[in-house]
Amino acid sequence: MKVSVYSKLLAIGVGLLYVSGIQKAEAQTFHCPADTAKAMELTRKYYQPGKDPAPLCGDIAAELVGAVYVPIAKEDSLGEAPIRLDGFDELAFVNTVGAIAKLATSPGHARPKDLGLVIDNLTFRRGEKSGFPMRMNYAADWILDNKSRGNVEEFTEDYSNVFKTKSLDYVTRNKGKYAALKDSATYEKLRMVELGYRTFKIPYMKRESTEWKDIKPLLRDGDIIVLLTNEQDKDIFDIGFIKKRDDGFHYIHASEKEGKVVEESEPLGRYIKRNSKYIFGWRWVRLK
């Protein structure tokens, strides 16, 4: 798409963060030794250096079903949340699964600190863990940034030409829910970033298109599906991976409603239909 006003504003907001003197931090630390051991166990189990990481995501996600839902972004007071495999919120789940898949398919040694660097690269804007304002909280932000750095590819606009305009400012509008925003300087920095998401045009595919005959055969095990909420100030209703089962693709995601990571018992199309009053469409992304 052509450079637009919201892209320019985003660049200004991010640029202000960059020149403010914030230094790039160390890679994330692990929540506990058990999480370190589990992460390395999964990396070894799926170790396929030089292979495509995307097809591994569905299997790795399935390994984490049952882990509790933890509002990680809301509890993160400094933008330095440790890596954990015992609990996730929506984006932390996608970042962690994606990082394990990428590390398992990378050449060379796979060490805990390497996983931390990969998670940082997916979680923080430009891969810079330099405070909470650099943490990506919206699918629009996450996809745009990770596409630009070659971490993911998106197919939404290849098969759809419809858009919905939103102003994504849920986090700063609900600053009381986020521990980091108790600090006024952090709040102001994030507010500048969110200026870049005013009147943001979000590409999407229609709810029912997961079942269309020209789309369904193209979906792949491990694809990332973003279900888009009708709420005006944010974009994620759910974000997760699909896993092929006998009756179709099932959705694996960190569910706040269920309080844990779940694999939906029904195929993706039925899950979307059942929640259609909350969802206006979906975005289709694949790890690279």
Side-chain angles (χ1 to χ4, degrees):
M1 292 190 301
K2 294 181 179 179
V3 176
S4 58
V5 174
Y6 68 74
S7 297
K8 292 177 180 178
L9 285 169
L10 175 62
I12 292 169
V14 173
L16 287 172
L17 292 178
Y18 181 76
V19 301
S20 64
I22 301 174
Q23 299 297 314
K24 188 172 181 179
E26 296 292 329
Q28 290 166 284
T29 56
F30 281 82
H31 177 245
C32 66
D35 284 346
T36 308
K38 186 168 184 178
M40 292 301 98
E41 177 188 348
L42 288 173
T43 303
R44 289 190 296 270
K45 181 174 180 177
Y46 293 98
Y47 189 60
Q48 298 178 28
K51 298 293 185 179
D52 181 0
L56 300 181
C57 290
D59 287 326
I60 295 170
E63 298 263 11
L64 299 172
V65 168
V68 298
Y69 183 93
V70 178
I72 291 176
K74 291 178 179 177
E75 294 179 353
D76 180 9
S77 60
L78 299 172
E80 297 180 348
I83 303 165
R84 56 190 303 171
L85 275 81
D86 65 327
F88 307 93
D89 63 15
E90 294 85 352
L91 271 169
F93 178 66
V94 171
N95 289 328
T96 303
V97 170
I100 292 172
K102 287 177 75 70
L103 185 62
T105 53
S106 297
H109 297 292
R111 301 165 295 182
K113 70 175 183 180
D114 297 319
L115 181 62
L117 291 170
V118 180
I119 290 182
D120 284 351
N121 196 37
L122 290 169
T123 302
F124 295 96
R125 201 170 293 104
R126 296 201 303 263
E128 297 175 13
K129 191 186 73 172
S130 52
F132 185 83
M134 293 297 279
R135 185 179 193 128
M136 293 181 282
N137 296 297
Y138 304 105
D141 191 3
W142 187 88
I143 294 170
L144 183 66
D145 183 83
N146 279 298
K147 276 173 61 178
S148 71
R149 293 184 290 113
N151 287 329
V152 302
E153 55 186 325
E154 184 177 15
F155 304 101
T156 310
E157 291 183 75
D158 295 336
Y159 299 96
S160 176
N161 60 359
V162 293
F163 296 84
K164 187 177 181 71
T165 300
K166 289 191 172 194
S167 291
L168 302 173
D169 56 1
Y170 175 87
V171 178
T172 53
R173 282 168 57 89
N174 292 272
K175 64 179 183 178
K177 296 180 179 181
Y178 290 84
L181 300 188
K182 293 179 181 178
D183 176 71
S184 59
T186 299
Y187 168 78
E188 288 300 328
K189 289 172 184 174
L190 184 58
R191 192 174 66 84
M192 291 300 299
V193 171
E194 290 192 345
L195 284 174
Y197 293 101
R198 288 188 176 177
T199 60
F200 191 97
K201 289 178 67 178
I202 299 173
Y204 72 93
M205 301 181 68
K206 294 181 179 180
R207 290 186 300 249
E208 63 274 17
S209 61
T210 57
E211 300 298 319
W212 289 354
K213 63 181 180 180
D214 58 336
I215 299 296
K216 194 172 182 179
L218 301 176
L219 292 169
R220 277 178 33 184
D221 213 49
D223 281 353
I224 300 166
I225 302 297
V226 184
L227 302 181
L228 298 164
T229 180
N230 283 320
E231 294 184 53
Q232 184 55 34
D233 56 0
K234 62 180 182 177
D235 57 353
I236 297 175
F237 174 77
D238 269 325
I239 181 171
F241 301 92
I242 51 173
K243 176 64 187 167
K244 181 72 171 177
R245 302 299 185 192
D246 290 343
D247 60 345
F249 287 105
H250 286 234
Y251 197 49
I252 305 175
H253 60 114
S255 170
E256 184 174 12
K257 180 180 178 181
E258 298 291 336
K260 60 184 178 181
V261 175
V262 297
E263 177 177 332
E264 295 298 334
S265 60
E266 58 198 345
L268 176 63
R270 293 182 197 167
Y271 176 71
I272 293 175
K273 185 175 181 180
R274 179 162 57 86
N275 291 283
S276 59
K277 67 179 179 179
Y278 307 111
I279 298 169
F280 71 83
W282 59 288
R283 295 180 74 169
W284 179 9
V285 182
R286 186 174 293 158
L287 193 71
K288 291 178 67 178

